[in-house]
Amino acid sequence: MLKCKINGKEMEVPQGTSIIEAFKLSGQDIAHYCWHPGLSVAGVCRLCMVEIEGQPKLQIACNTMVQDGMVINNNSETVKDVVRWGLDFHLINHPLDCPICDQAGECGLQDQYMQFGKYDPEMAERKVKKRKVVDLGPTVVLDSERCILCSRCVRFTDEVSKTHELGIFNRGDRSEIGTFKDRPLDNKYSLNTVDICPVGALTSKDFRFRQRVWYLKTAESICPGCSTGCNVNVYYNEEGLWRVRPRHNPEVNGHWMCDEGRDTYKYVNRKARLLEAKMGHRDNWTLESPGAAAKAAGQKLREVIEAHGPESVALVLTGQYTTEELETAVQKFKGDLGSSLVYHWVNNPESFEDFDGILLRGDKNPNTKGLLKILEQEGVSLTWKDLESRVQQGQIKTVVVAGPENQSVFPDFVEKVNLLAGVENVVWLTACPHSVLDSREKATWQIPLKTYIEKAGSFINHQGKTQSFEVGTVIVSSALTLAEAATLLVGQELEVSSGDRLAELTRKKNFFTETRGAL
Amino acid sequence: MADFQLSAEGVEFVKAELKRYETPLSAVIPCLYRVQKENQGWVSPESVSYLSQLMDIPEAHINEVLSFYTMFNREPVGRHHVQVCCNISCAMNGARELTHHLCKSFDVKEGEVSKDGKLTITRVECLGSCGTAPMMQINDRYYENLSPDSAVKIIKELE
Ligand code: SF4
Ligand code: SF4
Ligand code: FES
Ligand code: FES
């Protein structure tokens, strides 16, 4: 361990720690644009200047290693002066068009120039005009004028996505981020460049101009997109979710997430959701509240069991629910209804084991491991074939399906619904509607469920790591969790919770007033 | 544009350069020069793709180097690339007027290829021959102490 002093604070850091890392460890602020903990060191922005006792010149903190006994500060007048002038160089050709910039509110440059009062650059010359609104690819838009050439995005495509699309072309004040022959920036991780761009040069096509970030609140969650289970922050307001961004977890996803995972907020919002329960069959549906519908379906379940025995009802589960929900569902089903017919619906068996070497996995369920654990714990080991043959033989009169929340990753959705076409009663628990369910000829209950962001619980990812999460926000308040639905289906009543969690939710602080300017 | 390929010796050259430095990236400049030489004086996007394959370096990174240095031409040039120095010593000795004069004499705009494909005239910064200003470089050769007439004569004598 090396001893050092940072802004007067005594510290011990491991060998090989850079000064900027030591600042981070000590919890003190240090300006930086080009350094990113997940990328190599570039040392180009010159903003992280520090003064080291005994050294005549200032050094950059990101590319200087701590040595034993170093006394370092970044709050002397010399450092402040140098940073102020460094900032001026960054502003020479920066348009400072914050009012129309999507990054405003979470921009490193904006925070810095405001802190130093540099609302106008001290240059008499006209600013160099560069390309604005460049369509970089399917997901990202580039504004060259705003780019401060920190090279984070270039290093990302070189070091993380390893797709090497981006480069800095030309020289001097004509330097610009670009792709060779203007080819699209098109990879599965492209939106990370938007996250790490410290200014508004790279913006997300999906998110830009839809919300001002300071009106959004943040909640921590786990991406339900695949079995990697990237840690994420979701950004929401009273209308719903607006974007998903990665949250650092060195054991799971590092600093990154894939572009696909960022789309998982879409099916959560009201527009995509099943808002009321539907009971009936093709062309003849009655709307009902989710709770009442679940009770009615439960009534039917018990009638069927009375007439045909417990082995006439089956439960189909997907790895899209929390371990806790799955446990309750299986236990209620086995314990209270007495049927042991529980099945695991695997959506894409061919590509289930795929892995792209970075984050994305072929198992598009966040909790397959959790489901397998519960099935084992409850002693269930039935194959899908078994269900198929029982259905064909007409033994099954009623099936309860905990359908996928994220229907887009279930290519066999229609096929599975059709498989159950002949079953007399189907209780389909689902967050989102699907037309093929509406055209079912036989008795059907479609009961709205909550999505991952609206409930607390845990997922077990592909590594076997249990990751818990809390309620982020509630979008469809009447929708049920799988556990609640299962409770009502077996004829029990729901416990009314004390409401503490809701109170806590509403008190949640605005993320941006808490961590403004953190890059 | 037809696909570009280096000659057998060119490929050998690139392979040798790749071994010469600590990182393959260092070999980009000499290899680009070679390409420019074998591609009628300019580096086409196709040749960048070709070089990228040959050197196993992403196209974007070769393009970074290519677009940084002015001595690489990213547009076709004439058989003779006339670079007139217009930096301080040369400018004081009439290099700008000389450039205009040359363009007029050979009926070609600055930076463009003449109709017969013979010439491209461009202005460049100091070529390090300030003592013999004004001067120009045609392909790999320096021509010094120019006057408008001598410069025209020199160019006329080229094929
Ligand atoms: S686009 Fe953004 S991340 Fe890329 S170099 Fe410019 S400022 Fe940095
Ligand atoms: S890799 Fe998987 S868990 Fe991570 S963001 Fe993408 S879909 Fe979500
Ligand atoms: S963060 Fe150190 S130079 Fe940019
Ligand atoms: S100024 Fe022309 S060669 Fe130096």
Side-chain angles (χ1 to χ4, degrees), chain A residues 154 158 164-172 179-181 183, chain B residues 45-46 48-49 58-61 63-64 67-70 74:
Chain A
V154 178
D158 278 344
H164 310 285
E165 295 105 327
L166 293 173
I168 298 179
F169 303 147
N170 300 326
R171 181 174 58 181
T179 54
F180 180 63
K181 284 183 162 169
R183 281 186 196 142
Chain B
E46 291 72 27
V48 171
S49 304
E59 289 156 321
H61 294 332
N63 201 46
E64 283 183 323
S67 61
F68 187 92
Y69 294 103
T70 49
R74 283 185 283 164

Side-chain angles (χ1 to χ4, degrees), chain A residues 283-448:
Chain A
D283 302 329
N284 186 10
W285 297 102
T286 13
L287 297 182
E288 189 44 281
S289 78
K295 280 188 180 170
Q299 186 59 40
K300 186 76 195 176
L301 272 181
R302 287 189 300 282
E303 280 168 22
V304 169
I305 289 175
E306 223 149 89
H308 305 278
E311 300 292 89
S312 62
V313 299
L315 174 65
V316 172
L317 297 171
T318 53
Q320 300 242 320
Y321 296 89
T322 66
T323 315
E324 294 75 6
E325 286 176 295
L326 291 167
E327 180 167 33
T328 313
V330 177
Q331 282 175 353
K332 298 263 181 225
F333 202 77
K334 286 190 73 181
D336 297 285
L337 290 186
S339 167
S340 53
L341 302 183
V342 181
Y343 300 91
H344 179 188
W345 172 2
V346 179
N347 39 335
N348 48 344
E350 317 75 38
S351 52
F352 212 63
E353 298 296 327
D354 289 0
F355 176 47
D356 74 347
I358 305 176
L359 291 171
L360 263 173
R361 289 184 185 268
D363 175 5
K364 299 281 172 215
N365 299 289
N367 201 22
T368 296
K369 279 257 162 93
L371 174 55
L372 293 176
K373 181 182 138 188
I374 297 302
L375 292 181
E376 195 187 316
Q377 171 191 315
E378 302 298 324
V380 184
S381 58
L382 295 172
T383 61
W384 191 258
K385 282 242 145 44
D386 181 69
L387 175 68
E388 282 174 350
S389 69
R390 279 175 200 260
V391 167
Q392 267 147 27
Q393 289 161 21
Q395 295 170 0
I396 306 269
K397 307 289 177 214
T398 301
V399 181
V400 179
V401 185
E405 196 172 294
N406 188 1
Q407 290 172 356
S408 64
V409 296
F410 276 63
D412 56 347
F413 191 92
V414 173
E415 181 194 309
K416 293 293 188 296
V417 177
N418 290 340
L419 172 74
L420 303 178
V423 176
E424 265 155 53
N425 311 295
V426 164
V427 181
W428 198 282
L429 309 169
T430 181
C432 305
H434 195 293
S435 58
V436 71
L437 292 172
D438 287 342
S439 53
R440 240 185 75 82
E441 307 275 357
K442 303 215 162 171
T444 310
W445 287 258
Q446 299 181 42
I447 301 177

